[in-house]
Amino acid sequence: MCGIVGYIGMQPAVPVLMAGLKSLEYRGYDSAGVSVCVSDEIYTVKAKGDLSHLEAKLKETALPEATLGIGHTRWATHGAPSDVNSHPHMGRKGIVALVHNGIIENYLELKAELMEKGCTFQSETDTEIVAQLFEYLYDGDMVGTLRKVLQRVHGAYALGIICKDHPDQLLAVRKDSPLLVGLGKEENFIASDIPALLSYTRDYYLLNDNEIVLLKRDGVSIFDLDGNPIEKEVFHVSWDASVAEKEGYDYFMMKEIMEQPRALQKTISPRILEGNINFEGIGLTEEMIASLRRIHIVACGSAWHAGIVGRYVLEKLTRIPVEVDIASEFRYRDPIFGENELCIVISQSGETADTLAALRLAKQAGVRILSIVNVVGSSIARESDDVIYTWAGPEIAVATTKGYTTQLSVLYMIALYFAKAKGLLRQEEEKMYLEELKLLPEKTSQVLHACNSGSIEALAKQLCKREDFFIIGRGIDYAAAMESSLKLKEISYIHSEAYAAGELKHGTISLIEEGTPVIAIATQSTLLEKLVSNIKEVKARGAYVIAITEEGNSFVADVADEVIYIPKATDLFTASYNVLPMQIFAYHVAVARGCNVDKPRNLAKSVTVE
Ligand code: G6P
């Protein structure tokens, strides 16, 4: 949610900033801007729209060559997308320019106070207040002024600041919004995420909340809020820059869909050792697991959908009651915590603001936190008692695919691990589940190749003009229907509703008319007959039914108009397969409708505001 970059070094800053923003565009793309500092002046160019608009404007208004600058790509919160609301924001005398990711919660109060002192504001943003306040409190010392500013602002922020009096300094700070410091040779960087650094350096510092960083060309100093220096450990990026490239695919989303077998392999195989699930370094003991009375799962978006699948699997295998909550609801519903409980927090980015707040709430109540996270060193990973990483690699497309399926695989492993610790898994059962887990990457690859043979694309072209879809299922299939429906909604802008197949007749079936597309996910062996009845109910009302079922269930073809087959699997793991045709279907529908698949309207990948 908003991408920040900053550069200080020997190279011309604008190309570095623009390349960084390009790789952060997944964080927001409704407007963008850059400021550079040269010869004691700050020059700024900003443009509404995605980065191509800023690029075009920079061609018209070439900025002077500078080696210090900041850049921003925005996902609007306060104030509509517009040139003037874009970052960087300046103080009224033009002494500082500032970029911000997050929300300043007391901005109205600060604005009123500054207006009384004669400040006037150009934009509707909360960010401009910080720039104005900085200038108002500015005493010639960057770090000292920032410390005073931070005493006044409340909320979440990652800030990058330049000042015309200090063309040799780039200042930054973070609290509850991500920010990294890239360490180069005679150059240093700030960025919201690693891809922005990869072309220049692989060494970086992870900042903790309330750490202030002063970057110069030849060094980086870090301070706490009292101005005391802090020593930091240098981290090293282990993945290659090419993972953040499209590698011949039209969109990152399809590349990431096709990467799922490899991501699953990397997530699963190091954790199955000598016929056992092995979570290295995890502090949860067998005794703790055996005494668990309840598990809370909290997450947002697709990670929440993974949690719903996780509940079915965990309850079935471990008999521990599981509650799954949307993080933004959980944090405000005064949840009841008890002894011997565990909170499983799921997040691809590890930075989602509501999920992080839910984690903190549970932790404060004394509940142990086990997180499933993709981004190493992210806030959620760092604040958890135990972390199990999904090794999906960077996910760029806003709509998650490999992030979600690797989360499912970790949830299966947790369920098996807990069931074994509780003595609930018979040897032959364990063997069967582990075999299934090992086969997951290979079978995923088979499904993806079958789905890409053209039939799903043809179906997508046939149905791409429809404006309403229903996706139905029972049990785990219903959980998978929710994720499938979200995929279709977020990238193709088609309204679709996931429904528990047995519930449809209690009202929603009134919406089914001649030709309404209904996708029926029918993979739960014990519920198959009931699901077939539900298909007949909608068929009788004119629905056009596409069924997703397992090979061998040929009788489903008798009741559906189209059938997509997935390989046979244990009922507990089917969500991993039946979501795949839906990812590919949603992708082709979005392409056929001319949508921007990787950057759907109004969305951002990493939601670091409430
Ligand atoms: C955003 C993304 C979703 C994602 C959700 C949670 O809304 O667009 O794809 O599922 O955030 O993100 P997280 O990083 O916590 O998994």
Side-chain angles (χ1 to χ4, degrees), residues 300-303 346-350 352 355 398-400 407 490 603-607:
C300 299
S302 298
I346 311 174
S347 174
Q348 187 283 129
S349 63
T352 303
T355 312
V398 166
T400 179
Q407 285 162 355
E490 61 188 340
L603 300 184
K605 184 149 190 78
S606 179
V607 183

Side-chain angles (χ1 to χ4, degrees), residues 160-173:
I161 307 167
I162 55 173
C163 173
K164 71 182 189 125
D165 296 347
H166 299 280
D168 60 340
Q169 297 182 7
L170 167 62
L171 188 64
V173 64

